Amino acid sequence: MNKTSTKMVVVVTGCIVLTMVGSTSAQRQMENLGRGVVAVNLDEGKVYVGWRMLGTDPESIAFNVYRGTTKINDAPVTGSTNLVDKQGDPNAVYTVRPVIDGAEDTPSAPARVWSQCYLSILLQTPEGCTPNDASVGDLDGDGEYEIVLHQSPRGRDNSQRGMTGAPVFEAYKLDGTRLWRINLGRNIREGAHYTQFMVYDLDGDGKAEFACKTADGTVDGQGRVIGDPNASYVDNRGFILDGPEFLTIFDGLTGAALATTDYIPPRGGDGSGWGDGNGNRVDRFLACTAYLDGRCPSLVMCRGYYTRAVLVAWNWRDGKLTRLWTFDSDDGTPGNEAYRGEGNHNLSVGDVDGDGRDEIVYGACAIDHDGKGLYSTGLGHGDAMHLSDIDPDRPGMEVWAIHENPRHAYGANLRDAATGKVLWGLELRDPGRGLAIDIDPRYRGYECWANNSNGLYSSKGEKISDAKPRSCNMGIWWDGDVLREILDGVNIDKWDYANGTATSLLAGRDFGCASNNGSKSNPCLCADILGDWREELIARTRDGRELRVFTTTIPTEHRFYTVMHDPAYRLAITWQNVAYNQPAHTGFYLGDGMDAPPHPNIKLVNVGNTAP
């Protein structure tokens, strides 16, 4: 039976079972992850060991940790998912065994000890390319993540003339094995706004797919060409305003093209219907993955946000790619015109209205799960946005939004994610970036600031400090508490709220690493891909020959399931690479004074040779 046929059986069975559950208790399909054990050599003969707790584990679960065949904990570990082996052996192999109702379960996959705080992944970077944004998915069904990496040749912004190279994507296992290379070809322009790529298990077969916009001349991971291999639509300015545009679903394991269809919406002539006729606004793309039915993930591909905005939802199920719905701000549907010009250089996804199904927060507006407008704020385009339970004293989630040219005074504001109502704001003009994370335990909720704000603000809008972190690009959970740290490029700092200063925890630049995307200054990816609930930092080396996966070795007494089993966070990892990268947030409040994380309503896909 071929791969497509296998998918047909699994998806039909899975979706029937889920449908029978009913909308009020629908469980979302989710990756069946292993324990993700990581072991790191420390000073004085010690070894740090961390592992995953899963979102489906019982609260009473405990763990035993083994160095080879020797159990190193006196009693089952219940208070955390990490420990330090004081008699560590850098040459040993470590495993973790769940203990349920007093009985040991199946051991994890073995983990060899890292000699330093990062794992080195050797790359086969093509000539003329630089490693750029990355995403992760379980491509081979073994319960652990692989990395899909955008190898970026010379690029151009949409507003700039000039030729670019062809975008390249590669998939790597953590041991450095390259699974495939896809070359998008000459008819896809290189740049932050052109190619948004999604890595996710879209059909529930236990293996993630890869999806992106393609064109004539795209070469899949098996060397097969999509469309006309000889066609060239690049004009003398370097823009591509003619020729067919496609959407392709690729097999995550082999890189083979599984299905290709026309990209919707098309340009429409020279693109002047999008606000100009020079190839700028017509080629502003976004993308995300969302559980639009509350059970199975859908792909959402988008075009435009300065003026016209179009979102198209697709399902990859039963070996077929089908269109679910289209939202178009300019199609004449009454009320849709209010969504024109409201998009960002990024988006977010979450169940903002509490109906069990996801909405797409498209900058200053939101689109409901059924492809209809939920609300538009009228605040206009912006460069940064954060969706989470920013103020835990209010019901539901909030959005911290940054607006480039706000249509009223609030260039930065906190709004209710379900209704769009502005709760409070800052009178700023043209803020370029902003961040909302918990960095001060004296104030409940996430602290908020912008690059040009006059200080730091609480989730209630109270100014709490004249001092603020210098960076507002990204955040990372790294040390032992539940506060978040400042991630700027490849460097991690701890905010000293008492003194209004920052202390370095990790300087990735000292390890030969570099950030991506100019002033946006982000690593290849920040995500919880190994160990406990805290995040890893994936960065490229300056010479482009390696990825380095940094993990924390700071013990923590907090025990949470992996945030990759929180649906909002997991979906945020899929869109982190989109245009102006933003950090992933959980759908619940994770910060000082938090309640226990809510139990995720998920159903693990138990297909293939997945690890326990």
Side-chain angles (χ1 to χ4, degrees):
M1 182 178 287
N2 62 31
K3 180 175 170 60
T4 301
S5 298
T6 302
K7 291 183 178 185
M8 291 173 65
V9 173
V10 172
V11 172
V12 170
T13 302
C15 286
I16 289 174
V17 171
L18 289 169
T19 302
M20 291 170 62
V21 174
S23 60
T24 59
S25 60
Q27 293 177 301
R28 297 179 180 221
Q29 291 180 352
M30 191 63 69
E31 295 155 318
N32 193 348
L33 296 174
R35 293 295 168 189
V37 180
V38 61
V40 182
N41 193 39
L42 305 176
D43 295 333
E44 301 175 350
K46 300 176 183 177
V47 171
Y48 169 89
V49 185
W51 61 93
R52 289 190 190 106
M53 182 175 171
L54 307 178
T56 53
D57 283 336
E59 290 295 325
S60 60
I61 195 170
F63 299 93
N64 287 331
V65 182
Y66 286 80
R67 180 199 325 114
T69 59
T70 302
K71 187 171 69 170
I72 62 176
N73 51 292
D74 294 330
V77 180
T78 59
S80 68
T81 48
N82 66 95
L83 57 73
V84 173
D85 180 8
K86 296 180 180 178
Q87 286 79 45
D89 180 355
N91 299 311
V93 171
Y94 286 81
T95 56
V96 171
R97 302 184 185 187
V99 179
I100 300 175
D101 295 330
E104 276 193 351
D105 207 336
T106 309
S108 69
R112 297 193 177 277
V113 180
W114 299 2
S115 59
Q116 61 277 314
C117 63
Y118 64 84
L119 174 69
S120 176
I121 300 173
L122 298 181
L123 300 175
Q124 301 175 43
T125 301
E127 185 69 27
C129 287
T130 300
N132 195 258
D133 292 335
S135 192
V136 293
D138 183 1
L139 304 181
D140 57 9
D142 68 351
E144 301 301 338
Y145 286 117
E146 283 73 47
I147 297 173
V148 174
L149 177 66
H150 180 187
Q151 293 277 20
S152 174
R154 178 185 61 187
R156 299 281 186 181
D157 188 80
N158 298 55
S159 62
Q160 298 173 350
R161 294 169 175 253
M163 301 295 176
T164 77
V168 173
F169 288 88
E170 296 179 325
Y172 289 90
K173 292 182 67 66
L174 295 185
D175 65 5
T177 301
R178 196 186 77 184
L179 297 176
W180 47 257
R181 174 181 289 168
I182 294 170
N183 188 316
L184 297 188
R186 72 184 76 173
N187 294 309
I188 297 290
R189 206 167 190 245
E190 171 64 36
H193 303 289
Y194 293 101
T195 299
Q196 318 306 343
F197 63 99
M198 293 287 104
V199 181
Y200 210 79
D201 181 8
L202 296 170
D203 60 2
D205 74 340
K207 299 179 182 180
E209 285 76 38
F210 170 72
C212 69
K213 181 174 174 282
T214 57
D216 279 343
T218 293
V219 182
D220 77 2
Q222 298 297 300
R224 293 189 289 265
V225 179
I226 294 172
D228 183 352
N230 300 313
S232 177
Y233 303 102
V234 184
D235 67 21
N236 58 11
R237 302 172 305 146
F239 289 97
I240 303 167
L241 294 174
D242 198 4
E245 301 173 283
F246 307 129
L247 169 63
T248 300
I249 306 293
F250 297 90
D251 186 292
L253 179 59
T254 68
L258 299 175
T260 294
T261 190
D262 291 338
Y263 193 92
I264 301 174
R267 298 182 190 92
D270 63 0
S272 57
W274 301 84
D276 59 55
N278 58 16
N280 182 5
R281 295 185 174 187
V282 65
D283 277 352
R284 301 282 180 156
F285 297 97
L286 300 175
C288 63
T289 305
Y291 290 82
L292 300 174
D293 64 1
R295 308 176 185 90
C296 305
S298 299
L299 179 69
V300 183
M301 305 299 289
C302 317
R303 185 173 215 151
Y305 40 76
Y306 283 122
T307 53
R308 182 186 179 192
V310 181
L311 294 77
V312 182
W314 300 87
N315 285 340
W316 172 246
R317 299 173 191 171
D318 199 21
K320 297 178 182 178
L321 182 60
T322 56
R323 180 155 54 114
L324 184 61
W325 51 252
T326 298
F327 175 90
D328 188 341
S329 65
D330 289 22
D331 68 357
T333 300
N336 278 14
E337 67 278 2
Y339 295 79
R340 181 178 171 87
E342 295 294 291
N344 271 22
H345 294 299
N346 34 63
L347 44 60
S348 191
V349 177
D351 177 15
V352 302
D353 58 9
D355 66 356
R357 295 165 290 194
D358 286 330
E359 285 69 49
I360 296 97
V361 180
Y362 203 72
C365 61
I367 309 302
D368 210 345
H369 67 274
D370 56 3
K372 299 177 181 179
L374 184 65
Y375 66 79
S376 178
T377 65
L379 291 169
H381 168 75
D383 286 0
M385 177 184 65
H386 305 276
L387 170 68
S388 187
D389 190 3
I390 295 171
D391 182 354
D393 294 331
R394 295 188 70 259
M397 292 191 283
E398 294 79 34
V399 176
W400 175 242
I402 302 298
H403 301 278
E404 192 170 280
N405 292 296
R407 295 173 184 157
H408 67 46
Y410 292 152
N413 59 81
L414 190 75
R415 73 174 190 254
D416 184 291
T419 66
K421 178 183 177 181
V422 173
L423 304 174
W424 59 270
L426 304 178
E427 295 186 3
L428 304 175
R429 300 303 300 177
D430 197 18
R433 300 293 270 183
L435 190 56
I437 56 177
D438 188 19
I439 58 174
D440 190 335
R442 298 174 299 182
Y443 302 90
R444 185 164 163 79
Y446 294 173
E447 282 65 54
C448 305
W449 72 101
N451 64 301
N452 60 351
S453 65
N454 65 348
L456 193 62
Y457 289 78
S458 74
S459 63
K460 307 294 192 295
E462 174 191 3
K463 184 178 180 182
I464 60 176
S465 173
D466 290 329
K468 64 179 182 182
R470 294 178 60 185
S471 170
C472 53
N473 284 330
M474 301 189 81
I476 184 170
W477 284 292
W478 187 260
D479 68 2
D481 61 32
V482 292
L483 299 177
R484 216 163 185 187
E485 282 63 62
I486 310 298
L487 174 57
D488 183 19
V490 294
N491 304 309
I492 300 173
D493 293 332
K494 182 72 173 180
W495 181 245
D496 182 348
Y497 51 87
N499 297 310
T501 58
T503 302
S504 176
L505 297 182
L506 176 76
R509 59 179 176 268
D510 292 345
F511 291 88
C513 293
S515 61
N516 294 330
N517 302 318
S519 64
K520 305 306 176 286
S521 191
N522 58 272
C524 297
L525 184 69
C526 174
D528 176 22
I529 71 166
L530 289 167
D532 60 24
W533 56 273
R534 293 171 295 175
E535 296 170 296
E536 278 64 49
L537 168 65
I538 304 177
R540 65 179 175 93
T541 54
R542 294 188 189 96
D543 62 10
R545 296 178 179 177
E546 294 178 48
L547 287 183
R548 291 183 172 173
V549 181
F550 292 88
T551 193
T552 185
T553 58
I554 303 171
T556 179
E557 295 180 355
H558 297 283
R559 188 177 92 151
F560 307 136
Y561 57 82
T562 171
V563 286
M564 289 296 242
H565 274 174
D566 171 61
Y569 180 93
R570 182 63 188 92
L571 294 174
I573 296 304
T574 70
W575 57 246
Q576 188 180 125
N577 68 80
V578 170
Y580 291 178
N581 306 58
Q582 300 287 275
H585 299 284
T586 53
F588 58 88
Y589 173 61
L590 203 169
D592 190 76
M594 64 182 289
D595 296 327
H599 188 76
N601 193 18
I602 59 175
K603 178 182 179 66
L604 301 185
V605 177
N606 190 20
V607 179
N609 187 26
T610 52

